[in-house]
Amino acid sequence: MSVPQHLNLVDGEWVDGERRPNTNPARPDEMVSEYAQADPGTVRAAIEAARRAQPGWARQPVAERMGLLDRIGTAILARVEELAVLLAREEGKLLAEARGEVTRAGQTFRYYAHQLLQPTGEVYASTRPDVHAEVRRRPLGVVGIITPWNYPLAIPAWKVAPALAYGNTVVLKPADLVPASAGELARIVVDAGAPPGVFNMVLGEGRVVGEELLTSTAIDGISFTGGTTTGAHVARECIEHGNKRFQLEMGGKNPLVVLDDADLDVAVGCALDGSFFSTGQRCTASSRLIVQAGIHDRFVAALAAATDALRVGDPLDPDSQLGPVASSGQLRQNLDYVRVGVDEGATVVAGGTHRPEDGQFMRPTLLTGARSDMRVAREEIFGPVSCVVRVDDLDEAVDVANDTPYGLSAGIVTTSLRAAELFKRDARAGIVSVNLPTAGTELHLPFGGTGASNHGPREQGGYARDFYTVPVTCYTGW
């Protein structure tokens, strides 16, 4: 059987390049597809095509843009099962989780189709006589979009959809670990009738493809999701090359606080989901479990037992509860952090071992006896590894939760309304959850954090408009 091919999309044409294999993390010898690496010239051609197409796309009637977005979303939703299987094979996500991600991507495009019917400007009273004052919104222009490997359809969708909706043109650079999902999205966009140059996609490594986007002065803005170190590099390059606008969604070291009055089953369920589902490969994962002394031992015992009971296996097997780690490099990093945690004085109470014959499958790992100064409690691991920090009361729990350079998501499990309200007030995070996992978000609400987790306007919902448009103040005299 022939292996599917995924090529670069430039100005409505499919452009080949040096081929690279795309393999299945559950079975690394299995080819999922081949993809064509873009060279610098291909990237520049994509940027030029987007620049030529942008004025015409911005002037398209709203109904035309709505129609395109609706057709894209409808096409994605019509192929949920097919795209979910591809996503599971390419990234290692469980099939059920992959179905959810594909559905979210389709719904996102349809959501932004309808967002175009929302008010787009404001009228103000002028302080001068016979003057009309208003604020209009114009598109940012050409947007470079750089996405990570952990949500290969959902994250491109929640960036591409608002960019196109508000009249921008796009050059998408997906993570080179997951080119097939982005490749199928590109085909859907083309088949839905996107004019040439409105949506372009370039595949390959960040040091080649990403750098061309960052250093091009023909790009008006960069929307990036990825690691904090890379995000800082994105910011520097954007400022140096044209002072282009940038939006950074980066890492997290997210706390889940469990108070003595918590429902134990709810607490264990939230911790299990937030820490380990999606193999812990979520920027909103609960990688710090901050537990009050009175419930600590019962919570640890129950969570360790639940963690040991999780079934790790092929993502296409309906009995699997965790899939493989997405890459061999990520697996090595996860295991290194477990060793670091033990060396620093933490204790492994679940998981923690890995045999060569296990391939890229890793048992979820729970560490106890952690402190806020330990690397496992401070640095983002991005795998199925979580640590427990013991505290005496709510005040200490909040202090520990906020003792991080990050600030993406935070959660608390409690039956006290007072404690919940205080935590929502005091937790330094962009997303706060009560009696729910830290990893749950909805497409119509803003997504983003504080500190090292975020820079620039929020993503998703109506808040996405703040990045993809530029306010223009207009005065008219008569």
Side-chain angles (χ1 to χ4, degrees):
M1 187 173 67
S2 62
V3 176
Q5 314 293 314
H6 290 99
L7 307 182
N8 303 286
L9 177 63
V10 178
D11 205 14
E13 301 292 333
W14 299 105
V15 178
D16 209 342
E18 180 186 349
R19 299 291 183 89
R20 295 285 180 87
N22 176 30
T23 59
N24 183 340
R27 294 183 290 276
D29 293 335
E30 177 185 300
M31 286 268 286
V32 175
S33 67
E34 286 186 338
Y35 66 101
Q37 296 269 294
D39 59 23
T42 300
V43 182
R44 288 192 290 271
I47 296 169
E48 291 165 4
R51 174 56 64 194
R52 288 193 301 272
Q54 197 278 321
W57 177 244
R59 288 193 292 267
Q60 284 290 316
V62 165
E64 295 295 324
R65 282 183 271 144
M66 284 182 63
L68 176 65
L69 293 170
D70 188 70
R71 291 192 297 273
I72 294 169
T74 299
I76 292 171
L77 294 173
R79 296 175 58 187
V80 167
E81 194 64 23
E82 172 198 347
L83 293 173
V85 170
L86 174 65
L87 196 160
R89 291 179 62 223
E90 177 177 56
E91 195 265 348
K93 190 165 295 183
L94 294 183
L95 184 57
E97 293 178 331
R99 290 190 189 105
E101 179 174 343
V102 176
T103 301
R104 172 79 168 258
Q107 291 172 340
T108 297
F109 275 96
R110 298 186 72 177
Y111 170 84
Y112 281 105
H114 294 287
Q115 275 292 106
L116 283 173
L117 295 181
Q118 298 301 309
T120 58
E122 303 89 36
V123 175
Y124 293 86
S126 173
T127 59
R128 293 175 287 176
D130 298 331
V131 172
H132 175 80
E134 62 180 316
V135 177
R136 296 187 176 192
R137 294 270 177 171
R138 70 162 182 255
L140 177 59
V142 177
V143 180
I145 293 176
I146 302 174
T147 57
W149 50 260
N150 60 326
Y151 284 93
L153 268 179
I155 293 180
W158 82 45
K159 293 177 185 290
V160 171
L164 296 181
Y166 296 124
N168 303 281
T169 53
V170 167
V171 181
L172 170 66
K173 182 249 177 283
D176 59 351
L177 195 62
V178 286
S181 295
E184 290 306 308
L185 174 61
R187 287 174 178 167
I188 288 171
V189 173
V190 170
D191 291 344
V198 167
F199 174 84
N200 306 271
M201 181 189 68
V202 284
L203 304 170
E205 298 179 354
R207 61 186 178 85
V208 177
V209 177
E211 286 302 307
E212 284 293 327
L213 294 177
L214 298 182
T215 57
S216 172
T217 56
I219 294 274
D220 298 297
I222 295 286
S223 181
F224 166 85
T225 297
T228 305
T229 300
T230 305
H233 174 72
V234 170
R236 289 190 297 268
E237 294 295 287
C238 286
I239 292 169
E240 184 174 340
H241 296 89
N243 198 28
K244 60 176 70 75
R245 183 181 290 190
F246 54 92
Q247 175 186 58
L248 310 177
E249 293 291 348
M250 298 173 285
K253 193 65 180 176
N254 310 294
L256 178 70
V257 171
V258 179
L259 295 185
D260 285 347
D261 61 18
D263 181 303
L264 184 62
D265 290 340
V266 171
V268 170
C270 289
L272 200 70
D273 181 316
S275 299
F276 303 127
F277 288 5
S278 295
T279 321
Q281 297 170 158
R282 300 184 284 193
C283 56
T284 52
S286 308
S287 55
R288 292 185 296 148
L289 306 175
I290 301 167
V291 185
Q292 196 172 359
I295 199 174
H296 177 277
D297 292 351
R298 288 183 295 129
F299 172 81
V300 167
L303 180 58
T307 301
D308 279 334
L310 288 173
R311 297 183 297 275
V312 179
D314 191 292
L316 297 179
D317 183 341
D319 291 329
S320 297
Q321 293 175 291
L322 260 73
V325 176
S327 70
S328 57
Q330 184 65 51
L331 175 63
R332 286 192 299 272
Q333 176 176 298
N334 297 346
L335 297 172
D336 285 344
Y337 269 111
V338 175
R339 287 190 287 270
V340 166
V342 172
D343 289 344
E344 291 180 319
T347 301
V348 175
V349 294
T353 60
H354 182 268
R355 304 169 303 171
E357 58 266 31
D358 292 332
Q360 288 179 204
F361 292 93
M362 177 183 177
R363 290 296 312 172
T365 300
L366 182 64
L367 299 164
T368 61
R371 303 182 310 273
S372 287
D373 61 343
M374 290 180 174
R375 287 181 60 195
V376 290
R378 299 203 67 79
E379 300 175 11
E380 185 178 41
I381 299 173
F382 218 69
V385 181
S386 191
C387 64
V388 179
V389 180
R390 184 174 182 146
V391 296
D392 290 329
D393 53 31
L394 175 61
D395 288 342
E396 185 182 3
V398 171
D399 288 343
V400 172
N402 291 338
D403 185 14
T404 174
Y406 297 104
L408 181 54
S409 185
I412 187 169
V413 185
T414 179
T415 55
S416 166
L417 178 60
R418 178 180 181 275
E421 290 301 314
L422 289 174
F423 189 77
K424 285 189 283 186
R425 183 193 72 186
D426 295 336
R428 289 201 296 270
I431 303 165
V432 179
S433 301
V434 178
N435 296 328
L436 291 167
T438 60
T441 63
E442 300 181 29
L443 65 87
H444 63 299
L445 298 174
F447 180 92
T450 63
S453 292
N454 174 265
H455 183 91
R458 293 289 193 260
E459 295 196 275
Q460 300 195 133
Y463 287 80
R465 183 186 72 165
D466 291 338
F467 178 73
Y468 293 106
T469 67
V470 177
V472 181
T473 304
C474 302
Y475 299 103
T476 304
W478 61 81

